[in-house]
């Protein structure tokens, strides 16, 4: 499917903004380590649902935006998000036929690779080793995937409903 009107574009934009807000909203001490990467999960869903419209440019822009807002090493998140986009685009056709458990494993592999790459870049840039708590957001992201998938499916059905597109305004 493709983006066909301004309402679909606004829906995509709002879901990505919501993903950035949820990724950046401050949490108290302990909970900060268990924050899912909402923006990455949003990107994974939309790249799977709209492969012709959401691709490497959107992944790079999401990563660059997150890099700019967080003030991390410039290029860390664009690189991580491009690797995620590559993995999703290479496995998207197969993932459409996965069972729900296989889909969770698929998301776990993609998020795990992204977390390890992000940790490697952080260690190389700062020289400080990362604690194992750094990988705790991996588990939170995998556990959050069913929620993200359900909400995004509703957004997708709402935005690409053929009954709504045939109405003349």
């Amino acid at each position: 499917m493709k983006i066909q009107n301004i309402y679909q574009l606004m829906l995509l934009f709002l879901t990505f903004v919501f993903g950035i807000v949820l990724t950046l909203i401050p949490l108290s001490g302990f909970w900060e380590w268990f924050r899912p990467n909402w923006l990455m999960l949003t990107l994974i869903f939309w790249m799977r649902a709209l492969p012709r419209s959401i691709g490497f440019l959107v992944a790079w822009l999401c990563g660059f935006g997150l890099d700019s807002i967080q003030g991390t090493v410039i290029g860390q998140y664009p690189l991580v998000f491009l690797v995620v986009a590559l993995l999703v685009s290479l496995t998207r056709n197969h993932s459409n036929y996965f069972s729900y458990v296989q889909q969770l494993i698929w998301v776990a592999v993609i998020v795990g690779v992204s977390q390890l790459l992000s940790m490697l870049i952080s260690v190389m840039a700062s020289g400080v080793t990362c604690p194992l708590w750094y990988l705790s957001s991996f588990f939170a992201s995998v556990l959050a995937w069913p929620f993200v998938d359900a909400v995004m499916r509703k957004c997708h059905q709402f935005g690409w409903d053929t009954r709504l597109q045939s109405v003349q305004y």
Side-chain angles (χ1 to χ4, degrees), residues 56-70:
F56 293 101
L57 179 63
V58 173
W60 184 84
L61 288 172
C62 287
F64 185 74
L66 197 58
D67 241 359
S68 300
I69 294 170
Q70 280 190 334

Side-chain angles (χ1 to χ4, degrees), residues 38-99:
W38 298 104
L39 183 59
M40 185 176 304
L41 296 175
T42 304
L43 179 69
I44 290 171
F45 178 85
W46 284 122
M47 282 193 68
R48 187 170 169 240
L50 302 171
R52 293 184 180 180
S53 301
I54 307 298
F56 293 101
L57 179 63
V58 173
W60 184 84
L61 288 172
C62 287
F64 185 74
L66 197 58
D67 241 359
S68 300
I69 294 170
Q70 280 190 334
T72 56
V73 177
I74 296 297
Q76 176 179 349
Y77 286 112
L79 177 64
V80 169
F81 277 54
L82 283 174
V83 168
V84 167
L86 178 66
L87 291 173
V88 171
S89 67
L90 288 175
T91 59
R92 184 191 61 80
N93 290 334
H94 300 293
S95 71
N96 290 332
Y97 302 107
F98 286 166
S99 68

Side-chain angles (χ1 to χ4, degrees), residues 104-129:
L104 275 174
I105 294 169
W106 176 71
V107 169
V109 168
I110 291 173
V111 170
V113 167
S114 72
Q115 285 290 108
L116 287 174
L117 182 61
S118 180
M119 187 173 74
L120 180 68
I121 292 170
S122 295
V123 167
M124 288 174 46
S126 66
V128 178
T129 58

